[in-house]
Amino acid sequence: MKKEYCGLFGIYGNKEAARMTYFGLYALQHRGQESAGIVTWDGEKIREQKGMGLVADVFNERHLSKELKGSIGMGHIRYSTTGASLIRNAQPFRVRHGDLQLSVAHNGNLVNTFALRSELEASGSIFQTTMDTEVFAHLIIKYLHESDSIEEAIGKACNRVRGAYSMLILANDKMIAIKDPNSFRPLALGRVGDSYVFASETCAFDLIEAEYLRPLEAGEMVTIHKGKLTSLRFAEERKASKCIFELIYFARPDSYVFGDVVYERRKAMGVMLAKEAPVDADMVMPFPDSGNYAAVGYSQESGLPLELAMIRNHYVGRTFIQPSQDMRDFSVRVKLNPVKSMIKDKRIVIVEDSIVRGTTIRARVKKLRELGAKEIHLRVSCPPIMHPCFYGIDFSSKGELIAANHSAEDIARFMGIDSLHYLTIPGLLDSVTQNDWCLACFDGKYPVPLSDHMGKDCLEADPGIIKEFC
């Protein structure tokens, strides 16, 4: 299964800025579990706390009440898309240039990072990390010398980069939010009391009881300074290419993303699946938690009962002791365990949201067979993932995508299932309320031109051999 990706939260003008940011990141934890960071502005300087791991592991009461002082706060949770999973690559990324203290938090992935970094290094820039976010920070500083404001410098930097970026930027006592002209990644604006807030998803607003105001528009820059909000366009809106995986998998079902309620869209995908691929079976069963909501739709449309016959252990942490090689199936069983009496002699429809490599589902199907399942039919609530993503999802190699290399019939045999059906692209589009989505991982039509040097590790290798590995 895929990993989640990055989450952003920011708040301006709140005496509990650090604590509110902590809660905002906590609500967004599903978007990234490798590292977490919070920065605050205390009136004189930016304060910072970052670490590897979950939000609750990185921050403690001392950080929130004593060290992260100030009424302006910004946070980031990360999984790596460009740059390795190391503490030096944790965000927000902070720099100082003269009187300017700058901190940048980024959700997305730039596709021309290598070329820009090579250009900046040739002109004397020195890099500390292997993140595309640092490239963006260097561009801001570069253009600051020929601009009348930090906003103008950021706009010029934005017009140099290509790819997906929703960003929060803390520039001394200014908080600035931007969204790329294609609107790949979500970013929402809200208010709690007299404070403005930003978040990748509205579920973060719900936790702190903030009012959702609106999503940021494509190519928009919103600045909060001295309690006043201003908005400008740094680029003309292009053909929108919103990441449809937000609705399929990434976003929390209780979030409002790109103008849609995630729960409702996933349920609609299940309804469409039942219309496209009905099957004579005894029950519908999801693999928790990813397939739950599409399974509800499939059950209601097909008339088959929904049974939650696979139980998830919610207390398996990241530090769980790994089993020995002799216990190869243990890691599967420790997370999910079936209700045995519900499986034997049953014809089962399993609903999943997506298949990337297929190995996890294969192990779970094997267990169902051992328990006596009579038939197993797999229904997937998105089309087959045929192409790598270069805009912020961690499947950037075609070789790791099972659907890119095998037919549906071959995949069904590999998994040991009786039938397999992926939701068609037309069916997917009929399940959502808009038509301006990025579908590149399904159809290979990349909305932003790609570069020669890309990939998660393209800045990790030695420059002399970089071409071989990117």
Side-chain angles (χ1 to χ4, degrees):
M1 185 54 66
K2 308 163 297 301
K3 299 180 200 174
E4 292 82 353
Y5 56 177
C6 302
L8 310 176
F9 183 89
I11 185 165
Y12 192 102
N14 191 291
K15 63 181 181 180
E16 293 280 1
R19 195 176 302 276
M20 298 289 265
T21 302
Y22 171 86
F23 287 132
L25 294 183
Y26 198 92
L28 298 171
Q29 185 73 85
H30 59 285
R31 298 184 68 89
Q33 299 169 15
E34 291 187 3
S35 64
I38 293 176
V39 296
T40 59
W41 173 257
D42 69 359
E44 297 180 355
K45 65 180 181 180
I46 289 179
R47 293 172 174 259
E48 174 188 59
Q49 171 64 26
K50 296 190 291 187
M52 303 302 293
L54 304 178
V55 172
D57 298 328
V58 172
F59 307 103
N60 58 40
E61 180 61 29
R62 185 186 77 256
H63 297 138
L64 302 180
S65 62
K66 296 182 179 180
E67 296 182 4
L68 292 169
K69 295 180 180 179
S71 62
I72 307 171
M74 183 177 81
H76 182 274
I77 49 174
R78 180 178 191 259
Y79 101 90
S80 51
T81 52
T82 296
S85 179
L86 301 169
I87 185 61
R88 71 168 184 264
N89 287 336
Q91 295 188 37
F93 176 75
R94 184 167 64 103
V95 296
R96 183 166 189 159
H97 182 76
D99 295 331
L100 175 66
Q101 297 184 56
L102 189 73
S103 193
V104 183
H106 174 203
N107 176 24
N109 201 52
L110 307 180
V111 298
N112 62 336
T113 303
F114 181 81
L116 289 173
R117 177 162 167 158
S118 298
E119 172 191 317
L120 289 164
E121 287 181 326
S123 64
S125 293
I126 298 173
F127 286 82
Q128 305 172 48
T129 76
T130 54
M131 296 186 298
D132 52 356
T133 309
E134 185 178 8
V135 171
F136 193 86
H138 276 269
L139 287 172
I140 294 174
I141 300 302
K142 175 182 178 180
Y143 291 117
L144 189 62
H145 298 286
E146 56 187 66
S147 302
D148 295 327
S149 66
I150 185 66
E151 289 89 348
E152 183 181 347
I154 292 171
K156 289 178 179 178
C158 288
N159 285 304
R160 288 296 315 279
V161 301
R162 297 202 319 267
Y165 55 93
S166 287
M167 290 189 185
L168 292 179
I169 300 169
L170 189 57
N172 290 352
D173 62 342
K174 286 185 178 181
M175 180 171 288
I176 301 169
I178 56 176
K179 183 188 272 194
D180 68 73
N182 293 87
S183 195
F184 278 105
R185 302 282 165 235
L187 188 58
L189 170 67
R191 184 193 290 259
V192 54
D194 295 327
S195 306
Y196 285 106
V197 289
F198 298 96
S200 295
E201 294 182 34
T202 60
C203 63
F205 294 165
D206 296 337
L207 182 59
I208 64 169
E209 298 185 312
E211 175 190 4
Y212 169 58
L213 298 179
R214 65 176 179 86
L216 264 69
E217 302 296 327
E220 183 183 14
M221 180 188 304
V222 174
T223 300
I224 314 290
H225 188 221
K226 296 182 178 179
K228 183 181 179 181
L229 182 149
T230 58
S231 173
L232 60 86
R233 292 274 183 174
F234 65 83
E236 291 298 319
E237 181 176 355
R238 299 170 191 157
K239 184 180 184 300
S241 306
K242 302 170 184 174
C243 177
I244 203 163
F245 252 91
E246 289 285 350
L247 298 186
I248 294 170
Y249 174 82
F250 287 122
R252 247 175 56 170
D254 53 335
S255 284
Y256 193 71
V257 170
F258 294 136
D260 264 321
V261 179
V262 177
Y263 183 105
E264 294 177 359
R265 294 309 101 213
R266 290 181 187 165
K267 185 177 172 182
M269 293 170 198
V271 169
M272 190 59 62
L273 257 183
K275 292 178 179 179
E276 288 187 354
V279 61
D280 186 15
D282 297 311
M283 66 179 187
V284 177
M285 184 183 81
F287 282 144
D289 290 320
S290 57
N292 287 0
Y293 311 100
V296 171
Y298 193 101
S299 171
Q300 292 180 356
E301 177 64 24
S302 66
L304 298 174
L306 176 68
E307 299 288 354
L308 303 179
M310 189 70 75
I311 307 303
R312 179 185 173 190
N313 183 351
H314 289 271
Y315 300 97
V316 177
R318 300 174 73 251
T319 57
F320 187 85
I321 298 172
Q322 293 300 307
S324 67
Q325 188 62 30
D326 293 335
M327 303 173 68
R328 286 182 290 270
D329 295 331
F330 193 84
S331 59
V332 174
R333 298 198 308 273
V334 75
K335 293 180 180 179
L336 292 177
N337 194 49
V339 181
K340 298 176 182 178
S341 62
M342 296 297 301
I343 305 300
K344 185 174 175 57
D345 296 327
K346 295 292 182 17
R347 299 169 300 166
I348 303 171
V349 178
I350 297 172
V351 177
E352 260 285 19
D353 60 10
S354 55
I355 302 174
V356 179
R357 300 166 186 88
T359 51
T360 300
I361 297 178
R362 184 189 188 194
R364 292 171 180 171
V365 167
K366 179 184 176 184
K367 182 62 177 179
L368 296 179
R369 291 292 191 192
E370 291 173 354
L371 293 176
K374 187 176 181 181
E375 295 178 12
I376 301 176
H377 304 271
L378 182 60
R379 299 294 179 261
V380 185
S381 60
C382 79
I385 301 170
M386 305 283 287
H387 305 274
C389 174
F390 298 101
Y391 306 128
I393 305 175
D394 192 14
F395 44 82
S396 56
S397 168
K398 195 166 185 175
E400 66 183 328
L401 304 176
I402 191 170
N405 301 284
H406 302 281
S407 67
E409 293 77 13
D410 288 342
I411 296 171
R413 281 193 293 271
F414 169 76
M415 293 183 177
I417 56 180
D418 295 280
S419 70
L420 168 65
H421 179 81
Y422 292 91
L423 186 62
T424 63
I425 291 179
L428 177 63
L429 295 177
D430 285 344
S431 305
V432 295
T433 61
Q434 304 169 58
N435 59 4
D436 48 1
W437 303 100
C438 176
L439 304 171
C441 55
F442 306 136
D443 61 16
K445 298 176 181 178
Y446 294 99
V448 173
L450 305 180
S451 302
D452 291 336
H453 302 292
M454 292 184 301
K456 175 176 176 178
D457 301 318
C458 71
L459 298 181
E460 300 289 339
D462 183 43
I465 56 173
I466 194 89
K467 186 173 183 180
E468 179 181 348
F469 288 99
C470 289

